[in-house]
Amino acid sequence: MPSAVTPQRRGRDPRSEVQADGESADSSNDGISSQSSKKFRLNLNGDASSSQRPLLAHGYLSQVDAHHRRDFVQAGTNALEYQPGSIIRVKLANFVTYTSVEFFPGPSLNMVIGPNGTGKSTLVCAICLGMGWGAKHLGRAKEVSEFVKHGCQEAIIEIELQGRPEQGNPVLRCVIKRDGNQSSYYINDKPSPRKDLMDLAKSFAIQIDNLCQFLPQDKVVEFAAMSPVELLWSTQRAVAPQEMLDWHKELKDLRANQRTVQAQNLQDVETLANLEGRQRMQEADVERMREREAIKENLEKLVLAGPIVQFRDARAKYNNMKERRTQAQNSLQELQKEVEPSLRAVNAKQHYRDQMKQLVAERKRLIETMDKRADTHAKKVNSFQDKIQEVEVEKENEKKGSKANLAEVRRLDQVITGLKKQLEQQPIEFDVSTYNENIRAKEREVRECRSKGGELQQNRSDLDRQGVERKQRTERGHRDLENLESQAGRQYEKLVKDNADTAKAWDWIQQHQDEFEKHVYGPPMLECSVKDPKYVDLVEATLGGTDFTAFTVQTSNDMRKLHQQLYNVLNLGRITIRTVLGTLENFPPPVNREDLRRYGLEGWVLDHIAGPDAILAMLSESSNLHRTGIAIQDTTPQQFDVLQNSPIPRWVTRKNFYRINRRREYGAGAFSTNVSEVRPARVWTDQPVDTTAKRDLQVKIHDWTEETQTIRAEIEGIGRQLLGLKNKVAELEDEKRVLQEEKEAKQKAVNAFKAIPIRIAQHDEKLKSQNKLLATVRDRLQVLDDKQDDLTMEKARAALAYASGVEALQVAHDEAYEAELMLIEATSDFDVLSERESEVKQLLETRQREVDEIIVTTTQLNTQARKLMAECKKINEGLNDATRDYLGDLAARMTPEDLQNEIESEKARLDLMHEGNGGVIREYEERQKKIDLLKTRLQGIEVALEEFDVKIKMVRDKWEPQLDKLVKRISASFAFNMKQISCAGEVSVHKDEEYDQWAIQIQVKFRENEPLTVLDSHRQSGGERAVSTIFYLMSLQSLTRSPFRVVDEINQGMDPRNERLVHARMVSIATGNDEQLFQSEGEDDDANDEENGTRYRSTGGGSQYFLITPKLLHGLRYERGMRVLCIASGEYMPKEHTRVDLRNCVKIKRKMMAAAR
């Protein structure tokens, strides 16, 4: 039986590496890794051809040539070829448990065999992740970083696919980083986004997310639990063209929309019936309310008619009063004509009196004018007098100024004489260069002192830093010395040595603990301990590497904050952070303590760890400590058998750690056991103090202390030197200042002597200017005298004008007295005439008052009518023509009194009627609008439903025939497969009104006297369901559009007979040696009919097939084109496992069998 090479996953001694084709071991392309003492994994290589190499003991070869790998790649591929998209090669590095491995599957059926835990399913995981799909499609780990081999930082997956004709084979590579849980992808060594890998895979019709094509071990339960509806969709994805999926989806969408519209239609019909019933119930109330509304409306109209009726009445009164006004005015005019002669004389005398009044007023105004004119002349006289006084003051000022000028002339003469005497004296001697040179010498000495002081200051700063550094080292050394002598310190030193990043992170967390919402706990190796030291090996065996160094946070916000700080800010790498939102009470044990002791266990691992509840809850969640039993004594075989069937999935004893892996989909008896050796503890151990490290640390502390004292002495010496330099600089500065002051004083004296001629010239100019001023004083005094004479003449003329004005004012007073006398006479004559005509005047006044009263009344009526008319206009603006005509007729036939009586009558009628609900009519009318709207919408819904029926029928007519044809072919193949094992089966489509409920219905019969029954978990056993499932998947083989399919451990739970039959059928179908007879309507007419059916002979094996199984029966069928990938591993494998040649083992076995025959 041919097999394919799978190089070792564990390491080997470099001395045992084998050279191939004359190349050195260093240049070999075979997978190489470091050796592990825990397990050895053997990957065997062979094909059907024999080898002539000399055999060593136990079938070992002396060498393994590189051509062995090429041989099996070419073996059996003459008749079968790889389809585009088939897997040519899978290469892994540091993936799960593999260090380095390379698989070469065949183009047809690939049997991947080996015991549990050897890494068969790892190949399935690599195919999924290497093509860009996520870990969720595997049902194992949640994060891709968990697939990186323990102790490594990255894993590599490389997959070579068969390319299309005239194209090269694409090579996909996925690199998984443990840090950051990140993956990078490459296509033909070119970096590519993950989407490009998935698009490339999908272009070959590869569907990793379809369980009908890709069924990993941990998804078998999900496939078994797949509903018939989901199975139909997955089947279409696997074997149907894309247009069928699109039609099915369109039908489901159309039907869903149709259901929505139908539901809306039903709801609208019910709503319409409800609304119409409520309308009928309220008709009587609405009529009564409408009658009341009519009365209210009439009452409102009567009220509106009030201003109109009042206007008509006011207008009639106004017209009557206007006629009376005309009559009164005519009567007054006739009376005035009768008394006109007598009144004319009175009026003439009155006119004369008025003229006298006017004359008196004019004479008084003339007096006022003359008075103002005299005042003006008086003011001019006073003004001229003021100006004469001002000229006199100026003359006095000029005289005083001449005296000051004379004094200034005398002072300037004295100053000029003194300056001339100073000029005759000799100047002092002064050498500027000598002073400057002495000052610069002092400045140079100061700079030298300061430069030297700067150097000393820098030296002292350097010594200060060295002193601080030595002091910090000394303090840190004392702390380290204390830590060496404490348990916590020793644990911390372990953490620093094993994971420096985690130690740095813990230091930061302790300093910033108050910045988190809840307490953040450190690594369990620091925060926890084992209560009893004798259990420490057992406890540590149940925990993983990251369990000891993981940080525990209690809120999601703290998780995000800590992740941001440690990874993005501090740039730390090997950090593990876990969130625990629950409490320790959320992790109860599977059995009570009494049952636990009955199983031979002493307690739970969780009971032997002391630490905070949050950390214990985290460890329970990650490592199931609450479900892991513990016992110091080894488990007996009887106890082991009992524990395998108990609810306890894990337990640890003095030597071994047991883990039970159950497969519920294959029944209660399907499980595997993983046993690992308990190693000595390395974390929670009490180690003695390292005396060498302690002594070295004490020596360092002593050296640092002496260095600190030496540095302090040097600093003090530098301080004394700096003080001396400071005093010297002060002395030099004082000497420099004295030189500068002497220089400035002598410089000032020399400059003053040089400036004497200039000062003499300046004072001469000032003296000439003062003499000129004295000469002009007399001229200015003469000008002032002339000005004073002119002002005196103007004052005299103004005095004469004032005397003339006073005389004219006297004349005006005399004329005013004369006019007042004439006014008195005219007033006396007018009073006499007025008394004679008093009776006539009284009669005229009476008639005039009557006319005035009538005019006032007429005006009031006119104003009232106008206001009412304006109010009527406002009322008419808001009325329609009918209401306006009605109000006009009403006003024409009613008086205000009649209108008021009618209003009172209508109010009485309104009071007699019950008011009721005021919103009834509004509700009634709004409800009627809703009814009309619903009727319109129902008509539109009927049209929409008809359109849905047409569209659904059109799509269904395209989809349903093709679906029936496809399922009929699957059913024929499924029935044929079932018939080969003396059973019966049928596949049909369950059709429902709802297209999202259409489903694949599988019916099977495993016994002769029973009818076909639907396949489910209630009627068939686990083995029968497994047989049916694998036969259904095999029925898709000839129809599949995918280049390869993967099934992991589907044969678990089958009895040997069914497993043997299923394997034979799978080999026949996959290798193309299959002949089926089944009814297929609508196929080619030239097929040969036989027994009312059509016989088909497969000419090829369909797509590539991977079958992963941990067990294999003896004597199974084998055909050319199959490839068996054998994975052997275990602690009993020989160390030089790379030299095993399975082909020679097969050859020996065949010789033994031939000899036995």
Side-chain angles (χ1 to χ4, degrees), residues 8 238 260 351 623 628 751 1067-1068 1099:
Q8 71 278 10
T260 303
H351 179 67
S623 298
T628 304
N751 292 337
V1067 170
S1068 298
T1099 59

Side-chain angles (χ1 to χ4, degrees), residues 1120-1131:
R1120 284 285 184 177
M1122 289 177 56
R1123 182 159 297 166
V1124 181
L1125 306 178
C1126 302
I1127 302 179
S1129 67
E1131 56 186 341

Side-chain angles (χ1 to χ4, degrees), residues 755-852:
I756 289 175
I758 298 173
R759 292 177 63 190
I760 291 173
Q762 291 175 348
H763 284 84
D764 286 338
E765 291 295 329
K766 290 181 181 180
L767 182 61
K768 292 178 182 179
S769 176
Q770 290 297 327
N771 289 328
K772 289 180 181 179
L773 288 175
L774 288 174
T776 59
V777 168
R778 298 184 186 90
D779 297 337
R780 287 200 300 274
L781 287 174
Q782 182 62 43
V783 171
L784 290 175
D785 289 338
D786 295 341
K787 183 178 180 180
Q788 189 175 20
D789 294 341
D790 294 339
L791 289 174
T792 302
M793 293 299 296
E794 291 292 335
K795 176 182 176 184
R797 284 193 289 270
L800 293 175
Y802 174 71
S804 177
V806 171
E807 184 178 356
L809 179 61
Q810 183 64 40
V811 174
H813 275 289
D814 293 342
E815 292 176 352
Y817 294 151
E818 182 181 358
E820 288 178 353
L821 291 174
M822 293 173 67
L823 176 60
I824 294 171
E825 293 177 357
T827 301
S828 176
D829 294 343
F830 174 73
D831 292 339
V832 172
L833 292 175
S834 295
E835 289 178 359
R836 295 176 183 175
E837 299 295 332
S838 60
E839 294 179 358
V840 176
K841 287 183 177 182
Q842 288 178 358
L843 179 59
L844 287 174
E845 290 175 357
T846 301
R847 294 288 179 87
Q848 186 65 46
R849 282 196 300 272
E850 291 177 357
V851 171
D852 293 339

Side-chain angles (χ1 to χ4, degrees), residues 173-218:
R173 187 164 81 252
C174 172
V175 180
I176 304 173
K177 302 285 187 180
R178 180 184 298 276
D179 295 339
N181 190 35
Q182 296 179 349
S183 301
S184 56
Y185 301 92
Y186 303 83
I187 300 178
N188 294 330
D189 294 329
K190 180 181 178 181
S192 303
R194 175 170 170 260
K195 182 178 180 299
D196 289 355
L197 263 75
M198 297 182 68
D199 291 344
L200 177 62
K202 291 177 180 178
S203 69
F204 289 110
I206 297 173
Q207 301 173 1
I208 299 297
D209 55 345
N210 188 351
L211 296 181
C212 287
Q213 175 191 341
F214 192 86
L215 187 60
Q217 176 182 355
D218 294 281

Side-chain angles (χ1 to χ4, degrees), residues 161 493 556 747 823 1107:
L161 301 179
E493 291 298 325
S556 300
Q747 185 73 41
L823 176 60
L1107 177 63

